[in-house]
């Protein structure tokens, strides 16, 4: 167990290091001066700091070293377009993205996994075929088109739900944690309940748009895992022993199916993040994806670099942790994969 | 066994024939294949079939609804957009651009990804470890981020978007190839070949490659659907194909301005992306289960 933990810790560190290297080299790949691309400031003869000195000398190793040092000190550079520190900007937008991702993935898990189990147990029955065809249709939706359809139907035609943003401008909620629901619940605003209702209304459409596709993927993954487990010999043995269904389910099926579901969920995280970023743009959701896509329109290279580094680090962290957990609870898996 | 003719050999279907036999069993997969071939024909014959040029503006018929609508005209079967361009022609050209771009991206990813996968699968020790770590890192970067970075370095345009999506698709081919080769190397027939003195290269070309083609084709089919979605998404976000090119995602983002009075300008291009993707997914899924059934026979 300790062995696995150490190995995954190593893996995360190595992966983060590669990401740091990529983000540093981006400054050289982007058009313009590398120092300006890294910090958002011009490199003048009297610019202070070890990083500027390293750039004047042209020592790439030192440049990378001081770049990493700056990152750890929270000195992430400045945006081209707003000249604000990127550190503050990222932490203004990140909670919105995490919030949307969290709700969407929870919804997908709550709907997708039980439905997938049902489909798996009723393998090659009508329910199974219905679920499979439905999920096939759901996976094939282009996410931006789905978001537009939702806006067209629920906002423009039926006038039920708001089409953009996180909260109506009427409610002035002070930002403390950045997570809008938590902020509202903790605030002492006189119309707190109305604000909460409004925030939830704003959340519904983006959450549905993101979770629509993810739910279908989770459903298919779970179904496949259940079908595979149900075909094994130990389930047949359990059935011949006359164990009741719920015992077989909780003792054998659930545990073994989860082992193959967990690593597949880890792979899905990056797709989920891509969908969240696109949906944020359509719904003008003030998150990292929306911010990054604005940054590319404005050729804001420091912002693109740091956004890429941060989003992929978060994805790496979650994906690797999920994989680590699945490896911990399943020691039978091939341990020599990375030799 | 009834009427066995001793003089005829028993019929042994080739692997492809038996795959096709299994594939035919599923009606949905056949419908998907028909739809997919329809789209392929449209993509290839596009310029011959379209009634108008994709950028021909008919200023007497702006925002004309589709023909089945009361105000529609049979001259423009799917209506016109805000500049009076015929939607049917634009969608057919758009299928050509989007589908062609996706196939290009997948071919690029397939060639490079399979090559890396073979190297990763057949090496061991430190080299394999380094390769795997680097590849795993690229695997977790979301594809949209890779596309954003490529666009930031090289600038916008369809060819850069295709390159970006191709790069983003490489890891899935590497992964599939690597896992397949690792699995095959543990099987007995490879060990037998090794005992016969075959070198790694010989084993790869004689034993593994013929078995691997199925896996790659299934991966490739599914990757085309991902590539179509990504190219359209980049076009929609104005990071891929640019306004003059009739690309389906670009058409949707152009239709946004008139979404309220002319929703068909959004619905129809989106519907054609959706139909393309679902037909590819159905074919890919059918192919995968056909292969699985063939193996289990």
């Amino acid at each position: 167990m300790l062995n696995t933990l150490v190995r995954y810790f190593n893996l995360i560190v190595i992966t983060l290091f590669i990401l740091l290297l990529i983000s540093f080299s981006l400054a050289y790949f982007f058009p313009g001066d590398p120092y300006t691309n890294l910090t958002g400031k011009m490199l003048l003869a009297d610019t202070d700091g070890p990083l500027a000195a390293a750039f004047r000398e042209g020592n790439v190793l030192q440049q990378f070293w001081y770049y990493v040092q700056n990152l750890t000190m929270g000195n992430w550079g400045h945006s081209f377009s707003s000249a604000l520190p990127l550190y503050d900007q990222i932490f203004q937008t990140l909670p919105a993205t995490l919030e949307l991702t969290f709700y969407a993935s929870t919804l997908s898990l709550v709907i997708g996994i039980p439905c997938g189990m049902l489909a798996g147990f009723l393998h090659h029955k009508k329910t199974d075929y219905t679920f499979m065809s439905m999920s096939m249709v759901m996976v094939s939706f282009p996410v931006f088109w789905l978001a537009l359809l939702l806006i067209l139907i629920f906002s423009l035609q039926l006038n039920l739900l708001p089409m953009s943003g996180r909260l109506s401008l009427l409610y002035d909620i002070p930002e403390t944690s950045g997570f809008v629901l938590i902020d509202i619940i903790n605030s002492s605003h006189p119309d707190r309940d109305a604000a909460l209702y409004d925030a939830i209304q704003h959340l519904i459409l983006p959450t549905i748009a993101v979770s629509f596709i993810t739910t279908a993927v989770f459903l298919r993954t779970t179904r496949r895992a259940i079908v595979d487990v149900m075909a094994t010999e130990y389930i047949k043995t359990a059935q011949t022993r006359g164990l009741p269904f719920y015992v077989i389910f909780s003792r054998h099926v659930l545990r073994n199916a989860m082992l193959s579901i967990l690593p597949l969920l880890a792979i899905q995280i990056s797709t989920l993040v891509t969908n969240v970023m696109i949906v944020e743009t359509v719904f003008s959701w003030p998150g990292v994806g929306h911010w990054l896509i604005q940054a590319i329109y404005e050729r804001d290279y420091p912002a693109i670099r740091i956004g890429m580094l941060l989003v992929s680090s978060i994805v790496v962290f979650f994906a690797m942790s999920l994989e680590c957990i699945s490896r911990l609870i399943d020691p039978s898996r091939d341990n020599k994969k990375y030799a | 066994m009834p009427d066995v003719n001793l003089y005829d050999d028993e019929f042994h279907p080739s692997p492809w024939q038996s795959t096709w036999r299994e594939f035919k069993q599923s009606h949905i997969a056949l419908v998907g294949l028909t739809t997919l071939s329809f789209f392929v024909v449209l993509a290839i014959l596009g310029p011959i079939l379209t009634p108008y040029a994709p950028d021909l503006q008919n200023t007497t018929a702006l925002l004309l609804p589709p023909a089945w609508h009361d105000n529609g005209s049979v001259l423009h079967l799917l209506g016109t957009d805000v500049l009076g361009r015929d939607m049917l022609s634009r969608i057919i050209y758009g299928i050509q651009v989007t589908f062609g771009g996706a196939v290009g991206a997948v071919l690029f990813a397939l060639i490079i990804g399979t090559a890396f996968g073979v190297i990763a699968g057949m090496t061991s020790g430190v080299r394999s470890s380094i390769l795997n770590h680097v590849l795993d890192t690229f695997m977790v970067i979301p594809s949209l981020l890779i596309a954003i970075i490529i666009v930031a370095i090289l600038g916008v345009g369809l060819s850069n978007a295709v390159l970006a999506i191709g790069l983003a698709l490489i890891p899935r081919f590497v992964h599939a190839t690597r896992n397949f080769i690792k699995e095959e190397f543990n099987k007995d027939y490879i060990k037998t070949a090794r005992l016969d003195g075959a070198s790694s290269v010989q084993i790869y070309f004689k034993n593994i490659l013929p078995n691997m083609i199925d896996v790659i084709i299934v991966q490739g089919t599914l990757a085309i659907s991902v590539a179509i979605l990504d190219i359209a998404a980049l076009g929609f976000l104005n990071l891929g194909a640019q306004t003059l090119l009739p690309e389906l995602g670009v058409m949707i983002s152009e239709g946004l301005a008139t979404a309220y009075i002319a929703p068909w300008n959004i619905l129809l291009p989106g519907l054609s992306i959706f139909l393309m993707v679902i037909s590819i997914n159905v074919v890919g899924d059918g192919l995968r289960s056909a292969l699985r059934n063939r193996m289990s026979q």
Side-chain angles (χ1 to χ4, degrees):
Chain A
M1 165 156 177
L2 194 66
N3 201 351
T4 316
L5 275 180
V6 169
R7 200 176 47 233
Y8 270 89
F9 180 74
N10 255 335
L11 248 180
I12 289 184
V13 170
I14 293 173
T15 315
L16 288 183
F17 180 75
I18 296 175
L19 284 175
L20 275 176
L21 264 182
I22 296 175
S23 81
F24 175 74
S25 57
L26 280 183
Y28 279 90
F29 285 129
F30 287 148
D33 179 46
Y35 181 79
T36 317
N37 287 339
L38 268 190
T39 57
K41 294 272 167 72
M42 297 288 278
L43 179 64
L44 301 171
D46 55 345
T47 315
D48 287 340
L51 186 63
F55 264 93
R56 269 193 294 270
E57 279 175 28
N59 185 337
V60 181
L61 280 180
Q62 269 187 20
Q63 290 169 13
F64 180 64
W65 171 249
Y66 288 119
Y67 166 65
V68 176
Q69 209 171 45
N70 274 351
L71 281 184
T72 51
M73 292 191 307
N75 188 0
W76 290 5
H78 295 258
S79 159
F80 278 172
S81 54
S82 63
L84 293 172
L86 289 168
Y87 186 83
D88 302 343
Q89 283 202 315
I90 287 263
F91 280 95
Q92 266 169 14
T93 52
L94 191 62
T97 302
L98 290 181
E99 196 174 28
L100 182 56
T101 318
F102 175 72
Y103 295 135
S105 48
T106 315
L107 189 67
S108 316
L109 285 175
V110 167
I111 298 176
I113 290 194
C115 288
M117 286 182 173
L118 198 62
F121 286 126
L122 304 172
H123 185 42
H124 286 320
K125 298 244 171 61
K126 272 225 172 74
T127 324
D128 179 33
Y129 288 131
T130 320
F131 273 124
M132 286 311 277
S133 343
M134 259 173 51
S135 66
M136 183 63 98
V137 170
M138 285 159 81
V139 183
S140 306
F141 264 94
V143 67
F144 56 97
W145 189 58
L146 176 72
L148 290 175
L149 282 187
L150 289 176
I151 291 182
L152 272 182
I153 295 170
F154 291 101
S155 305
L156 292 177
Q157 296 291 333
L158 300 177
N159 227 339
L160 284 176
L161 297 164
M163 59 189 269
S164 70
R166 282 174 102 188
L167 188 62
S168 168
L169 291 174
L170 294 173
Y171 307 105
D172 186 21
I173 304 288
E175 272 200 19
T176 44
S177 66
F179 298 94
V180 78
L181 291 187
I182 299 173
D183 277 352
I184 291 174
I185 291 169
N186 287 336
S187 73
S188 52
H189 197 274
D191 295 322
R192 208 175 66 174
D193 295 343
L196 195 63
Y197 181 66
D198 187 65
I200 291 175
Q201 274 198 327
H202 276 87
L203 257 173
I204 292 175
L205 287 187
T207 313
I208 290 178
V210 175
S211 59
F212 199 73
I213 291 153
T214 324
T215 307
V217 178
F218 286 179
L219 195 157
R220 296 181 82 83
T221 319
T222 316
R223 172 189 174 271
R224 186 74 251 160
I226 296 275
V227 169
D228 285 346
V229 170
M230 288 303 279
T232 52
E233 299 287 328
Y234 56 80
I235 297 291
K236 284 187 193 123
T237 316
Q239 279 167 343
T240 36
R241 277 169 64 205
L243 291 182
F245 176 75
Y246 64 89
V247 176
I248 300 182
F249 175 72
S250 60
R251 198 183 289 169
H252 299 291
V253 180
L254 189 63
R255 295 184 187 181
N256 286 298
M258 276 305 154
L259 293 184
S260 49
I261 294 174
L262 269 181
L264 290 172
L265 294 192
I267 298 178
Q268 284 305 317
I269 292 181
S270 79
T271 321
L272 180 72
V273 170
T274 302
N275 286 344
V276 168
M277 286 169 65
I278 295 174
V279 166
E280 276 178 4
T281 323
V282 177
F283 285 97
S284 306
W285 188 262
V288 168
H290 184 57
W291 180 72
L292 258 179
I293 287 173
Q294 292 305 315
I296 180 111
Y297 293 151
E298 291 155 355
R299 295 287 177 275
D300 191 347
Y301 298 124
I304 298 170
R305 171 185 51 82
I306 204 73
M308 169 259 155
L309 179 61
L310 194 81
V311 173
S312 34
S313 310
I314 293 176
V315 175
V316 166
F317 181 74
F318 278 103
M320 295 270 178
S321 314
L322 259 185
E323 254 188 50
C324 179
I325 293 171
S326 74
R327 193 60 67 91
L328 280 180
I329 57 179
D330 181 14
S332 72
R333 265 177 63 184
D334 177 21
N335 281 331
K336 301 267 184 325
K337 196 177 158 198
Y338 292 106
Chain B
M1 267 197 271
D3 55 73
V4 180
N5 190 342
L6 281 175
Y7 298 102
D8 285 339
D9 277 337
E10 209 179 320
F11 177 63
H12 285 294
S14 71
W16 286 112
Q17 277 171 330
S18 58
T19 310
W20 171 240
R21 272 187 176 180
E22 289 293 336
F23 188 81
K24 269 196 306 190
Q25 302 295 315
S26 161
H27 297 266
I28 301 176
L30 277 185
V31 173
L33 189 65
T34 320
T35 323
L36 181 60
S37 6
F38 170 71
F39 278 116
V40 172
V41 169
L42 270 192
I44 295 171
L45 298 182
I48 306 173
L49 297 174
T50 50
Y52 303 93
D55 47 3
L56 182 74
Q57 299 178 11
N58 181 357
T59 42
T60 56
L62 303 180
L63 290 176
L64 205 66
W68 56 85
H69 195 272
D70 287 346
N71 298 327
S73 149
V74 84
L75 288 176
H76 298 284
L77 271 183
L78 296 182
T80 57
D81 69 359
V82 71
L83 294 173
R85 295 175 292 193
D86 183 50
M87 280 306 275
L88 179 64
S89 314
R90 280 177 72 70
I91 286 179
I92 293 178
Y93 271 92
I95 288 170
Q96 193 180 28
V97 172
T98 311
F99 192 71
V103 171
V106 168
L107 281 182
F108 170 76
L110 195 149
I111 293 169
I112 297 184
T114 317
F116 271 113
V118 170
I119 300 172
M122 297 188 54
T123 50
S124 55
V126 180
R127 260 184 307 170
S128 152
S129 182
I130 291 175
L131 200 62
N132 283 330
H133 283 317
V134 175
L135 287 171
D136 280 358
T137 316
F138 279 104
M139 184 113 169
V140 292
I141 303 181
S143 59
L144 185 65
L145 270 183
I146 297 186
I148 285 180
I149 291 166
I150 297 280
V151 166
I153 296 173
L154 298 175
V156 290
L158 181 66
S159 49
N160 292 343
V162 168
L163 178 68
I165 290 160
L167 284 179
L169 286 175
I170 286 178
R172 62 169 62 215
F173 286 104
V174 177
H175 222 71
T177 321
R178 182 180 71 190
N179 289 350
F180 180 78
I181 290 185
K182 290 254 170 196
E183 249 171 55
E184 290 297 294
F185 257 86
N186 286 331
K187 290 191 178 164
D188 286 340
Y189 74 102
I190 299 287
K191 284 185 188 145
T192 320
R194 268 203 192 286
L195 285 177
D196 281 347
S199 70
S200 288
V201 178
Q202 282 167 331
I203 288 178
Y204 171 68
F205 279 106
K206 297 269 183 211
N207 300 358
I208 291 187
L209 193 63
N211 287 321
M212 199 171 70
I213 287 176
D214 301 339
V215 181
I216 294 179
I217 286 178
V218 170
Q219 276 294 325
T221 323
L222 296 174
I224 289 181
S225 76
V226 176
I228 289 179
L229 290 177
D230 282 358
I231 286 185
L234 285 182
F236 174 75
L237 294 173
N238 212 355
L239 300 175
Q242 294 298 294
T243 313
L244 286 175
L245 208 62
E247 197 272 325
L248 294 169
V250 176
M251 289 165 68
I252 294 179
S253 83
E254 282 175 4
L256 270 187
T258 51
Y260 194 63
I261 49 172
W264 61 88
N265 278 346
I266 292 183
L267 296 181
L268 294 173
L271 195 66
S272 40
I273 302 177
F274 171 67
L275 286 179
M276 247 192 302
V277 172
I278 198 169
S279 62
I280 294 172
N281 278 341
V282 166
V283 170
D285 215 52
L287 208 57
R288 192 157 47 179
S289 44
L291 288 172
R292 193 185 293 132
N293 291 341
R294 193 191 86 193
M295 294 297 170
S296 63
Q297 262 175 11

